[in-house]
Amino acid sequence: MGAKLPDFAGLRVAVAGDVICDRYLVCEPKALSREAPVMVLRHAEERVRAGGAGNVARNLAALGASTMLYGVVGRDAAGRDVRVELERDLVGVENLLSVPGWTTPQKSRVLAAEPRRNAQQVLRIDHEPGVPAPEEVRADVRARLRAALANVDLLVLSDYNYGFVEAALGKLAREFAAAGRVVVLDPREQLAGLEGLTALTPNVDELARFARVGAERLTQSQSLELAAQAVLEQSRARWVLVTRGNNGMALFGEDVPPGGWAIEASGSGNVTDVTGAGDTAAAVFALCLARGLDAPRAMVLANAASGVVVMETGAAVCTPQALREALQSAPHLAPLSGGVRS
Ligand SMILES: Nc1ncnc2c1ncn2[C@@H]1O[C@H](COP(=O)(O)OP(=O)(O)OP(=O)(O)O)[C@@H](O)[C@H]1O
Ligand SMILES: [Mg+2]
């Protein structure tokens, strides 16, 4: 397989969606507590990464695309910290608005390890806003996005169910797709109002939810195919890329054989942390479509890039160099029906 990488620099990308503050509290085990049967950890260091739509954006920027983020955070410490991280990751944050009184979605992970060992996650604490950010702020962000679209090659929507990805944003995105541009949605809870886009990148659980079948059935290729075809019809998307965790990916839609294309997971198998792999998959698949690659080839690259990030702790990004190397030994496409493991 030719390992030449397309040049993503010069592509102008807008990412719109739910921005999350991923916080990592790295600790060392100290003792068993005498207060309760719990472990006592000594705080060693703290790290912040942009999560959700922020992680999609930083994956796009790491591959050289000029990336602007559209969304909201609270006017709180998590919102400030995630903005600093995004700037460090070269993501444009002029259209990430801070909302007084709204809570930035935050996932705080407590990691414990002896020095120079791989950290294990022991606990996660989520801060959740409870309600979407006020409609007038979201409308402001949408107006900014609408005004910018004439100079955008690709729009990626990242839904983490915190309220930014809904029908009004879907309408704007659909118009952009109807004008011949690439719009990719990484969906979460719902597809209503988000029809008519270029492609969707659900994981197996999300596909099962949209197709109203049990996720356990989707280990069978025929059920997976039926569910994907139902979601293609329902969403009127041109492609559905199903991410299947350690089973790789499957692709359905235009110019794909009816049974679908499948690809096995890429990488060495030394998986450290699968957090954010779906964000990388959506980012790279979208970028490849916008670069003019056909959808099966876009899946090969997305799968290779996702195989890179699962080998690092926390939500990571794949650089062009790492992607080029991963492509040297990347798995090949196969018909889904021949290639399913359960
Ligand atoms: N254990 C693994 N080994 C190798 N590759 C993996 C593994 N887990 C995930 N991947 C790669 O990452 C892709 C996306 O992962 P997954 O299907 O778990 O997405 P997701 O559930 O949306 O993840 P998240 O929401 O945490 O970002 C997979 O299609 C696969 O290519
Ligand atoms: Mg996901």
Side-chain angles (χ1 to χ4, degrees), residues 22 24 49-51 55 58-59 109 273-277 279-280 309 312-317:
D22 275 330
Y24 299 89
R49 294 280 178 275
N55 191 39
R58 63 193 277 267
N59 270 276
R109 298 174 176 92
D273 189 345
V274 298
T275 310
D279 300 330
T280 302
V309 299
E312 285 176 46
T313 306
V317 295

Side-chain angles (χ1 to χ4, degrees), residues 18 58 107 125 145 160 162 175 254-255 278 283 291 329:
D18 297 313
R58 63 193 277 267
K107 298 178 184 176
I125 302 164
L145 175 59
Y160 274 81
Y162 290 113
E175 288 166 13
E254 272 176 37
D255 301 326
R291 231 316 142 244
S329 54

Side-chain angles (χ1 to χ4, degrees), residues 217-226 252 259 336-338 340:
R217 297 203 24 213
L218 300 191
T219 51
Q220 288 172 344
S221 55
Q222 212 182 359
S223 308
L224 184 69
E225 180 200 330
L226 281 174
F252 303 86
L336 174 66
S337 48
V340 156

Side-chain angles (χ1 to χ4, degrees), residues 17-304:
D18 297 313
V19 176
I20 297 170
C21 178
D22 275 330
R23 195 178 291 278
Y24 299 89
L25 300 162
V26 186
C27 305
E28 293 169 12
K30 189 176 133 187
L32 263 183
S33 173
R34 286 188 289 178
E35 301 166 4
V38 294
M39 197 173 14
V40 180
L41 305 174
R42 184 186 299 111
H43 185 275
E45 76 172 292
E46 196 164 319
R47 281 185 303 224
V48 170
R49 294 280 178 275
N55 191 39
V56 174
R58 63 193 277 267
N59 270 276
L60 290 158
L63 286 170
S66 163
T67 308
M68 180 67 72
L69 183 57
Y70 293 82
V72 286
V73 290
R75 195 165 291 174
D76 52 17
R80 282 189 291 277
D81 290 350
V82 78
R83 184 183 299 275
V84 168
E85 278 307 310
L86 285 161
E87 285 179 324
R88 201 170 285 168
D89 292 330
L90 305 180
V91 172
V93 290
E94 294 84 344
N95 301 296
L96 179 65
L97 301 190
S98 295
V99 186
W102 194 66
T103 302
T104 305
Q106 177 171 228
K107 298 178 184 176
S108 303
R109 298 174 176 92
V110 179
L111 308 178
E114 301 285 357
R116 287 183 291 282
R117 294 257 191 99
N118 277 344
Q120 304 281 335
Q121 191 178 145
V122 284
L123 186 70
R124 193 179 97 189
I125 302 164
D126 290 356
H127 287 73
E128 301 199 306
V131 291
E135 165 55 18
E136 63 267 26
V137 184
R138 287 183 282 122
D140 185 353
V141 179
R142 287 197 303 272
R144 289 160 177 253
L145 175 59
R146 187 180 284 282
L149 283 178
N151 297 309
V152 163
D153 302 304
L154 165 66
L155 174 60
V156 185
L157 307 182
S158 172
D159 188 5
Y160 274 81
N161 207 28
Y162 290 113
F164 195 80
V165 179
E166 39 64 73
L169 182 65
K171 178 170 181 288
L172 197 165
R174 180 162 48 254
E175 288 166 13
F176 189 57
R181 310 301 239 298
V182 176
V183 183
V184 173
L185 164 67
D186 192 10
R188 176 53 65 101
E189 295 285 335
Q190 57 139 13
L191 292 180
L194 303 169
E195 297 87 356
L197 310 181
T198 311
L200 313 180
T201 61
N203 64 20
V204 172
D205 289 341
E206 289 151 356
L207 183 77
R209 182 178 311 133
F210 304 142
R212 297 194 178 82
V213 296
E216 70 288 347
R217 297 203 24 213
L218 300 191
T219 51
Q220 288 172 344
S221 55
Q222 212 182 359
S223 308
L224 184 69
E225 180 200 330
L226 281 174
Q229 297 297 350
V231 169
L232 271 173
E233 202 166 304
Q234 179 189 337
S235 66
R236 291 184 273 115
R238 294 171 65 188
W239 293 284
V240 171
L241 176 75
V242 186
T243 68
R244 307 173 64 219
N246 60 3
N247 289 318
M249 297 179 174
L251 178 71
F252 303 86
E254 272 176 37
D255 301 326
V256 176
W261 283 120
I263 191 164
E264 287 182 14
S266 167
S268 64
N270 292 329
V271 171
T272 304
D273 189 345
V274 298
T275 310
D279 300 330
T280 302
V284 176
F285 185 67
L287 205 52
C288 289
L289 290 183
R291 231 316 142 244
L293 274 66
D294 60 25
R297 182 70 186 148
M299 173 168 76
V300 172
L301 270 76
N303 191 60

Side-chain angles (χ1 to χ4, degrees), residues 304-335:
S306 306
V308 169
V309 299
V310 296
M311 292 190 287
E312 285 176 46
T313 306
V317 295
C318 181
T319 61
Q321 180 59 25
L323 180 52
R324 211 174 282 123
E325 281 166 24
L327 282 172
Q328 310 273 359
S329 54
H332 295 275
L333 295 172

